[in-house]
Amino acid sequence: MNKVKKPYHHGDLRESLLDAATDLIAEGGVDNLSIRKLADKVGVSRTAPYHHFKDKNALLCAIAEQGFLKQDELVESISALQSKLSAPELFEKYVLTYIRFADEEKETYDLMYGREIWKSGEPTESLQLISKNCFRNWLKWVEVLQQGGIFDPEKPSLRVAQSSWAALHGLCRLFNDGIYIDREDIDEIAKNTVHMLINQQRTD
Amino acid sequence: MNKVKKPYHHGDLRESLLDAATDLIAEGGVDNLSIRKLADKVGVSRTAPYHHFKDKNALLCAIAEQGFLKQDELVESISALQSKLSAPELFEKYVLTYIRFADEEKETYDLMYGREIWKSGEPTESLQLISKNCFRNWLKWVEVLQQGGIFDPEKPSLRVAQSSWAALHGLCRLFNDGIYIDREDIDEIAKNTVHMLINQQRTD
DNA sequence: AATCAATCTTGACACTGTCAAAATAGAGGA
DNA sequence: TCCTCTATTTTGACAGTGTCAAGATTGATT
């Protein structure tokens, strides 16, 4: 039946399509990705991709999924430093890493958290799962940071997580969308944001 | 020559186009606006709009400009309350009003601060001017809030303005892009954000 | 070797933005 | 009044787009 997933004519079309598509959007943004151009690049006909992705939307969702996985890895690698750094240092490092990811994978980031999928399109079920899991991880971390005194432990962690993520996301967007344009500034603004968000009730 | 601006065949095509275009994007988002559909709606041929707007991009910029003007009015109306409210109340009111605008004029907001214009397209010179002026107003207000103790007066006001605006913008985006979906929550998150941003060094 | 379903291609349709050239109609001057 | 000039609008065309329906191919299974 369908135990072995290897396609028939092409080596592994689904994978190739994903790779080529990622290349295309990395080159010139989501606008640079058309099914036809993609099919051309891979060497199949215009409608071949439709046997591996229901939609263009489904293709974009698959790319976004890959992005979440990649981002998860990055976050994991910071968690590993948990014992070596102080809570504020850890938080700042997280923020800067998050921003670096958004910068280096601009277009993927846009797909992951942009309206293209979440509003205009219909997010795939698996994408919804993976993204929810991602937020849950952030929530856990926020709880740790609350215990570490970084955030107010009195406040509901859900709200704190939402607020702080929104602040971070907003910065990334302003940069990624071309409103803030100086990359040098971004890290400065980020550090400032960190200081503003950190609970300062007991600093004196 | 061109002292009287009244067009020849149509009543005032430029204005009509802007109105109809705003309607179209309010109905179904930016994706719902095509030059051809727009021309149809107004009752002219497909290419007529090109004599009033160089590009589709130019048309979008014009809509965004209107958005900035409308937003400015709202902000003005809050400035008027400056004497009646305390600084924290004023700040919170500003934030909630900003969010309400982003909510009620979702698509316009997207145009004003989205990549469609600022990254993918080329922002019109007049749009650049009007938006810079808008940020400058925010900057002034931040300085007032710094003097009022809402924000840390030690920090450079530019950075504070950038950080706080990013936080606000991020929240609007997450909501407008369909990631946060519960409008009830939004105001809650906003208030939480306000509390987190407010300088708390002297609360005890 | 025959069958069958997964995979891929060809053709078609209704859209899109925008350019070039032709048509129109109003304003200003004779 | 008529004529000309220029701003405005239209028609035709081109190269794109996503995706559906129907046919062709091909590898695996019986």
Side-chain angles (χ1 to χ4, degrees), chain A residues 135 138-139 142 156-169, chain B residues 167 170-171 174 179-182 185-186 188-190 192-193 196:
Chain A
F135 181 74
W138 171 238
L139 189 55
V142 164
S157 54
L158 175 62
R159 291 277 175 259
V160 175
Q162 289 167 324
S163 293
S164 53
W165 181 41
L168 190 46
H169 175 65
Chain B
L171 183 50
L174 286 175
I179 291 159
Y180 290 167
I181 45 176
D182 196 341
D185 282 356
I186 296 299
E188 286 296 312
I189 304 174
N192 189 267
T193 301
M196 285 179 79

Side-chain angles (χ1 to χ4, degrees), chain B residues 21-41:
Chain B
T22 310
D23 282 2
L24 281 174
I25 68 168
E27 277 175 32
V30 141
D31 296 339
N32 192 43
L33 169 63
S34 81
I35 300 287
R36 297 167 107 104
K37 203 190 295 183
L38 173 62
D40 237 47
K41 189 173 166 128

Side-chain angles (χ1 to χ4, degrees), chain A residues 166-167 169-175 177 179-180, chain B residues 98-99 102 109-110 112-114 162-177:
Chain A
H169 175 65
L171 183 51
C172 289
R173 283 238 77 107
L174 286 174
F175 179 52
D177 292 347
I179 291 159
Y180 290 168
Chain B
Y98 185 100
I99 289 173
Y109 185 88
D110 206 46
M112 290 163 66
Y113 302 112
Q162 289 167 324
S163 292
S164 52
W165 180 42
L168 189 46
H169 174 66
L171 183 50
C172 289
R173 281 239 79 106
L174 286 175
F175 179 53
N176 264 9
D177 292 348

